[in-house]
Amino acid sequence: MSIIKTQGLTKIYKEHTVEVRALNGVTMDIAEGEFTAIVGPSGSGKTTLLNIIGGLDKPSGGQVSIGDVDITDLNDNQLIDFRLNNIGFVFQAYNLIPVLTARENVEFIMLMQKRPKAEMDERAESLLKAVGLEDQMHKRPREMSGGQQQRVAVARALASKPKFVLADEPTANLDSKTAINLLDIMATLNKEEGTIFIFSTHDQKVIDRARRVVTLEDGKIVSDVLQN
Amino acid sequence: MYFKLAWRNIWRNKRRSFITIGSILFAVFFALIMRSFQEGMYEMMIDNMVSISTGHLQVHKEGYWEDRSIDNIMTLDQDVLKEMNSIANVNRACPRIESFAWITADNLGRGAILIGLDPRVDVMALDDKLVDGEVVGMDDKSIMIGEGMAEYFGITIGDTLVLLGQGYHAQTAAAIYPVGGILHFGNPEFSDKLVVMPLKLAQEFCSTEDRVSSILIELDDIVAHTEVKPKLQGLQYAEAVSVLDYEEMIPEVLEAIQADRIGGKIFIGILYVIISFGIFGTIMMMTAERKYEYGVLISIGMHRFKLFMITLRESILIAFIGVLMGFLVAFPLIYKLHHDPIPFGEEEMEAFQSFGIEPAYYSVIDLVLCFEHMLIIFCIAMVVNLYPLVKIMTLRPVEAMRK
Ligand SMILES: Nc1ncnc2c1ncn2[C@@H]1O[C@H](COP(=O)(O)OP(=O)(O)O)[C@@H](O)[C@H]1O
Ligand SMILES: [Mg+2]
């Protein structure tokens, strides 16, 4: 059953008089349990697509529905709540609040959801353990490596029990060994928690880990394949 | 956690926080010291005028204030005096004779102001002013003069002066009195021209019998004058009297003070504007620096207003620390200057003597005044948060996070 549906998504940026068609009719479905890579050369529209699916940006045309909600109809405050409770985000870098420890960063999002303290403690610990940071929980972001920081970001993204996690080039700032390690952790959590992961990348080794690969070019889907 | 976040954010950019706290501290310190010192100066000026020449309130025969002649004097009724002393908030009632005399010694002469008073009860605080000799007693036949006059005539204790004046109903007033004490006055006008004598001696000199020129009223607290005045007016006098308060008696002094006070406030206003820009600058820098972070937080589901409240908590903490520290640094100094004023150096001495005040750094302890300025500065530190408020409310996460 598909959770995310996009229908004829377009996004046009106007810079001065020049129009850029970042997305040009993107229609796709994403089903429960997917582990999907959005790939394509730089400027092909990956970030734009993820931002629109994540409710961070509005499309110029087309629809996005998540579950039975058409998120293009939601106002700013509704979207914020929707994101908090349905979507986990992992950005390319600087995901974390610098003055909070790894554990506090993970708990913070649950605090916004007003979860009970006991549940926050328990879930923060188990997620940080799952990403292999049980002994780094009390470190602040700057005391951790880039890979470790991204693992905390993944733990945070899952802490809110979202329907899906969006990760825009989560490995772009990591060396390939660390990148593969992060992908393995994401894949494991995808299985264990059953959370959908959608990530963009142009790293072939990362692409190899995905089960579905959607390729964009000039804002259009040019291929959509299941692998392994 | 939100408080923890705000608290840690303060230490995130230590230098910037120190600059902000420092400028708030400085503004509070400067405003409190300057205003307390200013008010202290006004208080000294008023106290000085009130204790030497007018009293907080004054009762005299109707018409005396307009024509201060020795003929315009009133009967002193001891019962009325007692009643005055028993009015709530009246510290003491001091009958006085006031007149003019020509003073000579050898071949020198000078015009003088005569004040006859009861040395034991009068508000003039003769003990504090005495620099040589003794404070004369009520029944003594000697006088006290200002330092300036003693110097002019080149006389010391025990020397005599000739007083020539006009007595009640054009009677001749002439006498020779020995000088029993020499007094120090901050105001050179008083120092050069004042002759203080026991009330009885003055009455004898001016042939006024039991009459007095005026009764000066000293209050426990100057603000009580409005409630005491009608009570004084309600007493039974032998003739028509008028009761004036110090505001009516020294309006020029009060106007000068008011003008100076406004000047001081404008000066502090300018300081506040400068400080506001300083704090605004740091908060702008902070907002710009955290744009990306704000983008992340709004993206992952934090409401904008909640995010602003975190920033505001931080500002409240910083402002609170700065204001409190400013107060804690300024207050001991204000306290010290209140209880133990520091005398001026030579130069300032001359400049200030012309104001007729004791030349010393003295300040009032006025907590309302302190909190007023602390509150203003705190509010400034809050108002600048409109900038991050607007920025956060209009922030577009996608743009904030694009590098
Ligand atoms: N805010 C914007 N204003 C103008 N053009 C933009 C903006 N964001 C993206 N673009 C353009 O849209 C196209 C797609 O960008 P993007 O989605 O970032 O691609 P990718 O993430 O695949 O590199 C690019 O040509 C880019 O220059
Ligand atoms: Mg991109």
Side-chain angles (χ1 to χ4, degrees):
Chain A
M1 202 195 104
S2 62
I3 302 288
I4 307 167
K5 280 187 172 144
T6 75
Q7 185 62 51
L9 278 186
T10 58
K11 180 72 180 178
I12 299 165
Y13 291 111
K14 283 201 185 73
E15 265 197 279
H16 307 296
T17 52
V18 189
E19 276 192 359
V20 180
R21 276 185 175 264
L23 293 180
N24 196 0
V26 174
T27 299
M28 67 181 219
D29 282 12
I30 291 185
E32 243 164 73
E34 277 197 28
F35 196 68
T36 298
I38 311 286
V39 307
S42 181
S44 56
K46 303 184 293 292
T47 298
T48 306
L49 178 60
L50 292 184
N51 285 345
I52 290 172
I53 294 174
L56 295 174
D57 209 352
K58 297 264 183 198
S60 310
Q63 268 126 35
V64 187
S65 50
I66 291 164
D68 42 19
V69 181
D70 184 342
I71 64 163
T72 50
D73 288 345
L74 302 181
N75 69 25
D76 185 63
N77 277 331
Q78 291 169 327
L79 268 175
I80 288 175
D81 280 331
F82 188 84
R83 290 198 296 266
L84 176 63
N85 294 312
N86 296 283
I87 312 175
F89 287 92
V90 178
F91 302 103
Q92 203 170 319
Y94 309 110
N95 276 281
L96 307 176
I97 303 174
V99 295
L100 297 184
T101 64
R103 185 190 177 128
E104 288 165 343
N105 262 288
V106 177
E107 284 179 349
F108 192 72
I109 195 156
M110 293 186 275
L111 185 77
M112 292 197 283
Q113 290 181 310
K114 304 196 172 71
R115 297 274 180 92
K117 175 95 175 73
E119 188 192 337
M120 277 167 47
D121 285 347
E122 195 268 325
R123 188 153 175 80
E125 250 168 68
S126 73
L127 280 168
L128 284 166
K129 203 165 172 187
V131 298
L133 292 173
E134 57 266 50
D135 46 2
Q136 314 282 321
M137 289 198 294
H138 300 291
K139 284 193 176 163
R140 295 211 190 166
R142 73 177 132 73
E143 299 164 327
M144 292 187 281
S145 69
Q148 288 172 331
Q149 288 182 35
Q150 289 304 77
R151 274 143 67 189
V152 178
V154 169
R156 180 188 67 190
L158 285 162
S160 60
K161 298 205 169 138
K163 288 201 176 74
F164 60 98
V165 171
L166 292 177
D168 190 11
E169 309 216 22
T171 61
N173 291 355
L174 306 179
D175 61 60
S176 67
K177 204 173 143 226
T178 319
I180 297 304
N181 175 255
L182 184 74
L183 253 287
D184 288 343
I185 288 169
M186 283 164 51
T188 310
L189 286 166
N190 164 254
K191 280 208 192 81
E192 283 174 2
E193 300 256 337
T195 314
I196 302 168
F197 274 78
I198 306 165
F199 51 94
S200 71
T201 184
H202 46 237
D203 178 343
Q204 191 52 50
K205 287 210 189 79
V206 172
I207 297 170
D208 291 343
R209 304 270 150 166
R211 254 172 281 128
R212 178 180 170 192
V213 180
V214 177
T215 308
L216 286 182
E217 231 166 76
D218 294 331
K220 281 198 185 107
I221 297 178
V222 292
S223 86
D224 186 347
V225 295
L226 293 175
Q227 57 183 26
N228 66 12
Chain B
M1 177 108 69
Y2 295 125
F3 180 83
K4 203 191 277 177
L5 187 59
W7 178 252
R8 289 194 197 155
N9 269 334
I10 294 178
W11 305 111
R12 181 156 160 193
N13 189 327
K14 287 198 191 67
R15 210 176 59 158
R16 192 173 53 220
S17 298
F18 282 141
I19 290 173
T20 314
I21 291 174
S23 37
I24 292 174
L25 189 157
F26 174 78
V28 170
F29 176 80
F30 191 84
L32 296 196
I33 293 288
M34 178 178 154
R35 292 287 298 123
S36 299
F37 173 63
Q38 244 187 347
E39 292 299 329
M41 206 166 71
Y42 305 151
E43 194 185 280
M44 277 199 297
M45 283 166 79
I46 292 172
D47 273 359
N48 201 57
M49 292 300 289
V50 158
S51 71
I52 296 177
S53 52
T54 67
H56 289 133
L57 288 156
Q58 192 181 114
V59 180
H60 45 237
K61 189 174 174 183
E62 211 169 72
Y64 172 76
W65 195 251
E66 292 72 36
D67 174 17
R68 268 174 266 183
S69 127
I70 193 71
D71 293 337
N72 270 335
I73 54 182
M74 65 185 283
T75 311
L76 177 64
D77 180 337
Q78 291 300 330
D79 291 337
V80 170
L81 200 59
K82 263 200 207 98
E83 282 177 59
M84 285 176 170
N85 274 308
S86 66
I87 295 174
N89 285 315
V90 168
N91 193 27
R92 49 189 155 179
C94 319
R96 282 187 180 183
I97 284 280
E98 224 173 286
S99 188
F100 300 95
W102 180 253
I103 314 280
T104 60
D106 297 326
N107 50 1
L108 292 172
R110 163 175 282 191
I113 305 161
L114 286 193
I115 294 181
L117 46 73
D118 184 341
R120 294 160 305 180
V121 303
D122 200 86
V123 297
M124 206 186 273
L126 297 168
D127 288 319
D128 299 343
K129 297 186 170 64
L130 191 74
V131 287
D132 199 5
E134 272 174 32
V135 173
V136 296
M138 188 57 155
D139 298 313
D140 290 349
K141 304 276 183 204
S142 52
I143 61 172
M144 299 195 279
I145 59 173
E147 276 175 309
M149 185 180 288
E151 202 174 302
Y152 175 77
F153 288 114
I155 58 173
T156 56
I157 302 301
D159 293 345
T160 54
L161 288 174
V162 175
L163 278 68
L164 290 171
Q166 198 193 14
Y168 186 54
H169 286 163
Q171 299 181 61
T172 325
I176 298 181
Y177 297 124
V179 173
I182 293 175
L183 303 172
H184 167 83
F185 293 99
N187 185 340
E189 177 83 3
F190 292 142
S191 183
D192 290 345
K193 297 198 174 145
L194 220 55
V195 172
V196 177
M197 53 211 288
L199 182 65
K200 281 185 181 168
L201 192 62
Q203 286 171 331
E204 187 183 305
F205 177 72
C206 298
S207 315
T208 63
E209 299 176 359
D210 276 345
R211 299 183 190 85
V212 295
S213 311
S214 54
I215 302 170
L216 271 61
I217 306 293
E218 187 195 46
L219 302 171
D220 294 328
D221 187 345
I222 194 163
V223 298
H225 71 89
T226 48
E227 82 192 49
V228 173
K229 190 175 175 182
K231 290 181 185 160
L232 288 170
Q233 286 165 329
L235 298 175
Q236 289 295 316
Y237 299 95
E239 60 264 286
V241 300
S242 61
V243 181
L244 295 185
D245 57 38
Y246 76 100
E247 288 176 349
E248 294 164 302
M249 292 184 283
I250 50 168
E252 345 64 56
V253 175
L254 298 180
E255 269 163 34
I257 286 175
Q258 193 52 32
D260 193 73
R261 182 182 280 134
I262 289 169
K265 284 184 177 170
I266 290 173
F267 187 84
I268 283 179
I270 293 169
L271 174 79
Y272 286 169
V273 172
I274 295 169
I275 295 285
S276 308
F277 279 110
I279 300 174
F280 187 71
T282 56
I283 209 142
M284 253 171 78
M285 271 159 55
M286 183 211 73
T287 310
E289 228 167 72
R290 297 200 189 150
K291 208 171 85 177
Y292 188 95
E293 192 177 322
Y294 290 157
V296 171
L297 286 170
I298 294 172
S299 296
I300 67 171
M302 173 161 272
H303 278 281
R304 294 164 189 272
F305 195 70
K306 205 172 205 171
L307 181 57
F308 167 69
M309 289 308 287
I310 293 177
T311 310
L312 187 67
R313 268 194 193 81
E314 193 180 330
S315 292
I316 291 175
L317 271 173
I318 286 190
F320 187 76
I321 294 171
V323 166
L324 192 71
M325 280 173 60
F327 177 75
L328 290 179
V329 176
F331 192 74
L333 188 57
I334 291 172
Y335 188 85
K336 189 212 171 290
L337 287 179
H338 181 75
H339 291 286
D340 181 17
I342 302 173
F344 283 169
E346 288 290 329
E347 267 171 51
E348 298 117 313
M349 192 85 101
E350 278 175 22
F352 273 87
Q353 264 181 352
S354 54
F355 288 116
I357 59 169
E358 288 303 317
Y361 293 104
Y362 165 79
S363 65
V364 293
I365 296 182
D366 183 346
L367 290 179
V368 173
L369 179 137
C370 291
F371 288 128
E372 227 173 68
H373 285 279
M374 287 159 75
L375 191 68
I376 292 172
I377 296 168
F378 189 83
C379 289
I380 290 173
M382 294 299 104
V383 168
V384 294
N385 283 285
L386 285 173
Y387 181 79
L389 176 64
V390 170
K391 283 286 166 184
I392 289 171
M393 293 321 262
T394 58
L395 184 112
R396 304 194 45 197
V398 171
E399 273 157 34
M401 290 162 65
R402 196 170 40 224
K403 288 258 152 155

